[in-house]
Amino acid sequence: MTVKVRRVVTGHDAKGKAVVLFDGPTSTVVSGRQGQSGTVLWQTSEFPADNDGSADLSGIPVKTVNPKGTVFRVVEFEAGVAQRIHRTDSIDYAVIISGEIEM
């Protein structure tokens, strides 16, 4: 199983005009355990975030939490995947696109 996501990231050119910086499939897919895979769409290393620049921040290695920033990831779980109980020192979001999950 490999999660497949099209990622579109916008930014600004040198003149301040809105432009598309990245448009395509995510490049880094991580499989944490049997029946689960995920990909980081974007992350920040500080809060509030500095959105200047055009570097692709999605490929920087990150664990479950980025303690001084944010992580936006998409995770796919196969039916019956083993539970993983954890606690983080961050605000986390889960969006169910299809199916259901027990928390």
Side-chain angles (χ1 to χ4, degrees):
M1 175 182 82
T2 302
V3 64
K4 294 183 175 121
V5 177
R6 176 184 173 202
R7 179 180 68 122
V8 179
V9 178
T10 60
H12 298 92
D13 66 13
K15 295 180 181 180
K17 180 182 174 190
V19 295
V20 174
L21 298 175
F22 310 103
D23 182 354
T26 54
S27 58
T28 306
V29 175
V30 177
S31 184
R33 61 189 187 276
Q34 185 71 30
Q36 178 264 323
S37 67
T39 186
V40 173
L41 301 180
W42 197 255
Q43 66 175 307
T44 64
S45 59
E46 58 191 1
F47 189 81
D50 178 1
N51 289 323
D52 291 334
S54 60
D56 187 350
L57 304 178
S58 68
I60 299 170
V62 63
K63 296 186 179 191
T64 302
V65 174
N66 187 337
K68 295 183 180 179
T70 63
V71 181
F72 177 29
R73 63 172 54 90
V74 172
V75 181
E76 182 177 21
F77 298 99
E78 288 182 357
V81 69
Q83 292 182 358
R84 178 178 165 233
I85 306 299
H86 68 285
R87 179 184 171 122
T88 63
D89 291 326
S90 61
I91 297 174
D92 304 313
Y93 301 90
V95 178
I96 310 304
I97 296 173
S98 176
E100 59 186 50
I101 190 167
E102 225 174 275
M103 303 283 293

